[in-house]
Amino acid sequence: MALQLWETLKEAIPVYTGLSPATFFTVLALFFAVYYVISGLFGSSDRHYSPRESEQLSQPPPPPVQLGEITEEELKQYDGSDPAKPLLMAIKGQIYDVSQSRVFYGPGGPYALFAGKDASRALAKMSFEEKDLTGDVSGLSPFEVDALQDWEYKFMSKYVKVGSVKSAVVTDGAPAEEPAESTDRDVAKPAEDGPSESAAVVTEETPLGADAAKE
């Protein structure tokens, strides 16, 4: 049976390949040798790091922790420099946990400078400049506003919101309002006195007009 199969192969190889059986098996052996060498060169590193990668994959990131309202200084603590803390980023004052995208926003990633900050302006302007790493979105063009809106939709659909950035509020606002009220009163007083003075002027002028009419 084996001899019959061998004879069949010897007859079929020249017909389908145009090569003699010896040449065909030589080419086949060379192909497997080259494949083995190439797979050894490029696959050795994967075999070396695969255990570590499998460990990382087997350990999912911790569930997002709700932080509530925090300041910009507190947000900087979550820039990825501390692996024990989640990786956070804010857009339009809303903080999102981007730990699942640490390869992009973590240390060494292409968007690492956005982590731990409200980078709304930088995202809107497609900028990597330090001056644009802020939540100030005033003066943006319509195109930049649309771009920022697209980023916000992406974050809302992909990441979990864990808090918000505390807006800077002037603590002495109440005292600042008191002078404004007093000035309003001061301005109102002349306004109240105004009609009486004008009325006095009118009453004073009326007799003059009457005397003029008599003359």
Side-chain angles (χ1 to χ4, degrees), residues 65-102:
V65 178
Q66 294 296 324
L67 299 178
E69 192 177 35
I70 63 175
T71 64
E72 292 183 355
E73 288 297 323
E74 292 172 330
L75 180 60
K76 292 179 181 179
Q77 302 175 9
Y78 302 92
D79 60 354
S81 57
D82 186 354
K85 294 182 179 180
L87 185 63
L88 305 182
M89 179 180 165
I91 179 170
K92 296 178 70 173
Q94 305 303 310
I95 304 173
Y96 297 89
D97 189 327
V98 296
S99 300
Q100 60 178 310
S101 299
R102 187 173 291 270

Side-chain angles (χ1 to χ4, degrees), residues 88-90 105 110-119 122-123 127-128 133:
L88 305 182
M89 179 180 165
Y105 299 103
Y111 305 114
L113 74 167
F114 296 157
K117 303 180 184 69
D118 187 333
L123 292 173
S127 171
F128 290 90
L133 296 176

Side-chain angles (χ1 to χ4, degrees), residues 25 79 86 92 101 107 115 126-127 130 171-172 194 199 211:
F25 285 110
D79 60 354
K92 296 178 70 173
S101 299
M126 306 298 179
S127 171
E130 188 70 23
T171 55
D172 57 349
D211 294 340

